């Protein structure tokens, strides 16, 4: 099973500069400020994947379910999860787990690998995807969904984004994708869904492409951003579902049906999933729902995974677009996920499937994750910013050691930063670090990170030859790349320093302590909106991570 500590094709460790040694990392998260009531064994809690896990593609193979989500400019990319009950998900691998597969150099964090789509036939798993500004559309394959996955086979004759495969039982296959409509776009956001035959033996398209959706359900209303097409069958008919309305609060899922893959297709007149018709002032809202996949279970139930968000204010959220699960009802031959005006519930009766034991790393509800770095490799959910070309971290002496390199976190480089997602609106991330900070401007510590222009840092900094603990904030591109100092205090003269970030919805607190002393606050109530997707732009959520930097 691939992990960050055993990736192949990375050159030898880059440990020529100062070393930051992190003794442990602790994450504690809760979905609400007040404790939630426990749920019974016959129910589950949404989302099923907390935090930045967008664009879920769900696949059933026999009694096993697999799910993969977008990661954009993070690495490893495209995490692969497994479940047998649709509720408890264990990450088993990452489809993009070695540097030779893709090239992320210089791309923005919200570029890279967009919405993936899984398919399976005759013992082989297929994953089609778009690498935005890093190659276009491609397909990779694996005998085992845990990996290894093949190097990309590029589909150069297919443009646009969001490719997906439909494979019939006899092996005939079709590739769907989003692209410009025939004759070009007639208004902003005007897109189309295309279909063409695909050869599983050669992994190439065959024949001409056919436009099967122009704009969306009703072109007269100028629908925008139709995307994420998925095709499946039910009772002898073909069904096409697609997102529509953009990925913000107007997001929705729509459905079409036909007697053959190329159509003609008839649209259901209303969204089968949306939250845009609900009162925006409702308590604990879930918004921006869409980009769904629909599957059946061995017992004949139908379920849908999709993305949605949980804002703390308006359209501001820091946890990114998360993966939710709801049952599907069939009404007059149409699949319905939510009725008009129906809010997505947080607690739902579970599928009629044998229970799967809880995963070793929780993904839903309130939980704690503690890494003491005593193992031989990092867990699969740790990520770097873009793809590393050399190994600047190692697990040694019961610690995670990170080489402080001159790639700053405020650039489009490949900084010495290892991160994991902020998975709850209310969360605490803490660590202990030993770092001498021998060079002016060198630093090591804890970050709350949205992208290179929006982050907080708390840690040890060499400031004018003095060893300080600082809180630095970068709130937009006009701020210095290392951020603006918003608080500082003398660091302990020797030894390790404990660091802590507490997220409270729209407010963040920062504190430090020596190895055994009490916590000393540095900043209380910092603006959490700096880390929101709304303010920062793009498609990712916030992450907490461990970071080291030295200008030389």
């Amino acid at each position: 099973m691939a992990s960050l500590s055993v990736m192949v094709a990375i050159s030898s460790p880059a440990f020529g500069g100062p070393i930051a040694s992190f003794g442990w990392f602790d994450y504690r998260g809760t979905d609400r400020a007040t404790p939630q009531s426990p749920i019974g064994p016959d129910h589950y809690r949404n989302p099923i994947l907390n935090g930045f896990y967008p664009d879920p593609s769900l696949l059933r193979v026999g009694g096993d379910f697999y799910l993969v989500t977008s990661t954009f400019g993070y690495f490893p990319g495209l995490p692969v999860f497994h479940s047998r009950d649709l509720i408890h998900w264990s990450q088993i691998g990452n489809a993009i787990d070695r540097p030779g597969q893709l090239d992320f150099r210089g791309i923005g964090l919200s570029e890279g690998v967009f919405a993936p789509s899984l398919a399976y036939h005759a013992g082989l798993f297929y994953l089609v995807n778009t690498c935005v500004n890093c190659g276009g559309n491609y397909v990779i394959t694996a005998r085992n969904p845990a990996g290894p996955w093949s190097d990309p086979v590029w589909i150069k004759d297919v443009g646009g984004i969001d490719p997906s495969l439909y494979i019939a039982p006899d092996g005939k296959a079709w590739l769907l994708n989003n692209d410009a409509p025939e004759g070009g776009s007639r208004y902003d956001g005007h897109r189309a869904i295309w279909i063409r035959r695909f050869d599983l033996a050669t992994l190439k398209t065959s024949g001409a492409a056919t436009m099967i959706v122009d704009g969306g359900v009703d072109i007269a209303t100028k629908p925008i951003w139709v995307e994420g097409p998925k095709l499946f069958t039910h009772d002898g008919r073909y069904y096409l579902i697609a997102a529509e309305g953009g990925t913000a609060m107007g997001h929705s899922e729509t459905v079409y049906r036909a007697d053959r893959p190329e159509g003609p297709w008839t649209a259901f007149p209303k969204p089968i999933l949306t939250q845009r018709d609900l009162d925006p002032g409702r308590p604990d809202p879930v918004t921006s729902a869409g980009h769904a996949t629909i599957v059946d279970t061995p017992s004949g139930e139908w379920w849908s995974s999709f993305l949605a968000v949980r804002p703390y204010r308006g359209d501001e959220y820091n946890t990114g677009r998360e993966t939710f699960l709801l049952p599907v009802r069939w009404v007059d031959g149409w699949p319905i996920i939510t009725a008009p005006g129906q809010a997505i519930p947080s607690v739902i009766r579970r599928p009629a499937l044998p229970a799967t034991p809880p995963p070793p790393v929780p993904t839903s509800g309130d939980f704690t994750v503690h890494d003491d770095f005593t193992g031989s490799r990092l867990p699969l959910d740790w990520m770097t910013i873009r793809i590393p070309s050399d190994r600047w971290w190692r697990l040694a002496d019961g610690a995670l050691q990170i080489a402080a390199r001159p790639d700053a976190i405020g650039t489009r480089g490949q900084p010495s930063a290892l991160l994991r997602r902020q998975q709850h609106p209310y969360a605490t991330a803490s660590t202990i670090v030993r770092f001498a900070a021998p060079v002016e401007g060198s630093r090591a510590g804890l970050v709350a990170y949205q992208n290179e222009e929006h982050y907080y840092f708390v840690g040890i900094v060499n400031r004018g030859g003095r060893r300080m603990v600082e809180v630095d904030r970068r709130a937009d591109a006009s701020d210095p790349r290392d951020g603006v100092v918003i608080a500082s205090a003398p660091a302990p003269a020797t030894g390790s320093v404990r660091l802590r970030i507490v997220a409270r919805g729209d407010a963040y607190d920062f504190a430090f302590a020596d190895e055994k002393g009490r916590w000393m606050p540095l900043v209380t109530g910092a603006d959490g909106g700096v880390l929101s997707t709304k303010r920062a732009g793009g498609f990712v959520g916030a992450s907490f991570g461990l970071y080291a930097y030295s200008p030389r």
Side-chain angles (χ1 to χ4, degrees):
M1 185 181 298
S3 75
L4 269 175
S5 58
V6 294
M7 291 182 299
V8 298
I10 298 180
S11 60
S12 59
F15 280 93
I19 304 299
S21 182
F22 295 89
W24 46 261
F25 176 87
D26 191 85
Y27 174 89
R28 299 169 186 267
T30 179
D31 287 335
R32 290 182 173 84
T34 56
Q36 300 184 76
S37 300
I39 61 174
D42 294 332
H43 292 77
Y44 70 94
R45 199 182 298 279
N46 261 325
I48 55 169
L49 296 183
N50 279 36
F52 160 54
Y53 288 107
D55 308 320
S57 173
L58 179 61
L59 172 72
R60 179 172 73 87
V61 179
D64 295 285
F65 296 91
Y66 301 96
L67 190 149
V68 62
T69 72
S70 299
T71 41
F72 299 93
Y74 278 111
F75 178 82
L78 308 183
V80 181
F81 292 86
H82 170 258
S83 176
R84 293 185 65 86
D85 65 0
L86 287 171
I87 306 305
H88 297 110
W89 292 91
S90 296
Q91 187 174 351
I92 58 174
N94 292 284
I96 303 299
D97 68 349
R98 53 190 188 277
Q101 287 174 292
L102 298 173
D103 185 357
F104 286 179
R105 285 178 295 181
I107 68 171
L109 197 61
S110 285
E111 298 170 345
V113 287
F114 275 41
S117 185
L118 283 170
Y120 173 84
H121 181 71
L124 192 63
F125 290 84
Y126 300 82
L127 192 156
V128 288
N129 186 230
T130 311
C131 197
V132 173
N133 290 333
C134 45
N137 292 312
Y138 66 93
V139 58
I140 55 178
T141 60
R143 291 289 175 186
N144 184 340
W149 289 79
S150 69
D151 287 338
V153 175
W154 297 98
I155 312 172
K156 291 297 186 181
D157 58 332
V158 176
I161 61 172
D162 294 4
S164 68
L165 274 177
Y166 168 73
I167 306 175
D170 62 2
K172 293 179 181 177
W174 288 260
L175 181 77
L176 300 95
N177 68 298
N178 152 298
D179 207 347
E182 196 169 16
S185 298
R186 300 191 293 279
Y187 56 87
D188 188 32
H190 182 198
R191 304 296 284 175
I193 302 300
W194 295 78
I195 192 169
R196 68 203 80 199
R197 289 296 302 273
F198 190 80
D199 189 328
L200 297 182
T202 63
L203 300 181
K204 294 181 179 180
T205 64
S206 61
T210 301
M211 185 176 71
I212 56 176
V213 174
D214 182 8
V217 168
D218 183 1
I219 188 64
T221 64
K222 296 185 177 180
I224 60 172
W225 307 122
V226 63
E227 58 191 10
K230 302 286 193 304
L231 195 155
F232 65 96
T233 59
H234 174 60
D235 283 349
R237 282 175 162 165
Y238 293 89
Y239 289 83
L240 167 69
I241 58 173
E244 187 179 304
T247 59
M249 296 181 78
H251 205 198
S252 70
E253 192 73 15
T254 59
V255 64
Y256 309 75
R257 68 186 181 193
D259 293 326
R260 53 192 298 270
E262 290 83 2
W265 290 88
T266 300
F268 188 69
K270 297 178 180 180
I272 61 169
L273 167 68
T274 193
Q275 299 289 276
R276 67 189 181 201
D277 54 353
L278 274 67
D279 179 3
R282 65 193 185 277
D284 299 322
V286 174
T287 70
S288 309
H291 202 103
T293 306
I294 293 177
V295 300
D296 63 343
T297 71
S299 63
E301 293 182 336
W302 289 79
W303 289 81
S304 175
S305 66
F306 56 91
L307 70 83
V309 306
R310 295 178 292 163
Y312 51 75
R313 179 179 57 221
D315 193 27
E316 289 184 279
Y317 51 90
N318 296 7
T319 45
R321 298 178 298 159
E322 305 174 286
T323 293
F324 288 69
L325 181 81
L326 283 182
V328 176
R329 298 179 297 114
W330 287 91
V331 180
D332 298 328
W334 295 101
I336 306 297
I337 304 170
T338 59
Q342 178 189 353
I344 293 170
S346 60
V347 177
I348 309 99
R349 181 170 290 277
R350 60 181 301 135
L353 292 166
T356 299
V361 178
T363 63
S364 181
D366 301 346
F367 59 78
T368 296
V369 177
H370 183 85
D371 287 315
D372 59 13
F373 304 130
T374 56
S376 61
R377 56 188 182 183
L378 285 173
L380 290 164
D381 53 346
W382 283 94
M383 306 178 293
T384 68
I385 301 166
R386 304 179 190 89
I387 300 179
S389 58
D390 55 27
R391 179 73 62 78
W392 38 258
W393 71 93
R394 65 189 175 197
L395 291 166
D397 302 323
L400 172 61
Q401 298 178 356
I402 297 180
R405 299 159 49 251
D407 274 8
I409 204 168
T411 69
R412 288 196 174 191
Q414 211 285 303
S416 296
L418 285 162
L419 305 101
R420 71 181 316 281
R421 295 159 179 82
Q422 178 183 336
Q423 295 182 270
H424 303 82
Y426 300 88
T428 299
S430 55
T431 191
I432 188 168
V433 58
R434 183 180 295 272
F435 184 61
V439 179
E440 170 70 25
S442 61
R443 62 189 57 215
L446 194 59
V447 292
Y449 183 81
Q450 236 287 343
N451 59 29
E452 59 270 8
E453 297 173 359
H454 299 81
Y455 65 82
Y456 285 98
F457 165 85
V458 57
I460 302 169
V461 180
N462 183 318
R463 187 68 68 186
R466 300 179 64 197
R467 191 170 182 252
M468 306 291 290
V469 177
E470 281 186 2
V471 178
D472 302 330
R473 177 190 64 212
R474 194 172 194 206
D476 57 49
S478 65
D479 284 342
R481 72 175 194 179
D482 290 331
V484 175
V485 180
I486 61 173
S488 66
T494 60
S496 300
V497 176
R498 287 182 292 151
L499 304 166
R500 184 176 71 190
I501 302 175
V502 178
R504 297 180 288 113
D506 64 349
Y508 283 64
D509 306 332
F510 302 86
F512 79 103
D514 63 19
E515 292 186 58
K516 297 181 179 179
R518 64 180 178 85
W519 287 101
M520 292 174 280
L522 286 163
V523 176
T524 300
D527 180 13
V530 168
L531 304 175
S532 69
T533 305
K534 175 75 172 178
R535 196 177 307 183
F539 305 113
V540 301
S543 296
F544 293 124
L546 310 174
Y547 169 56
Y549 165 80
S550 179
R552 62 182 186 276

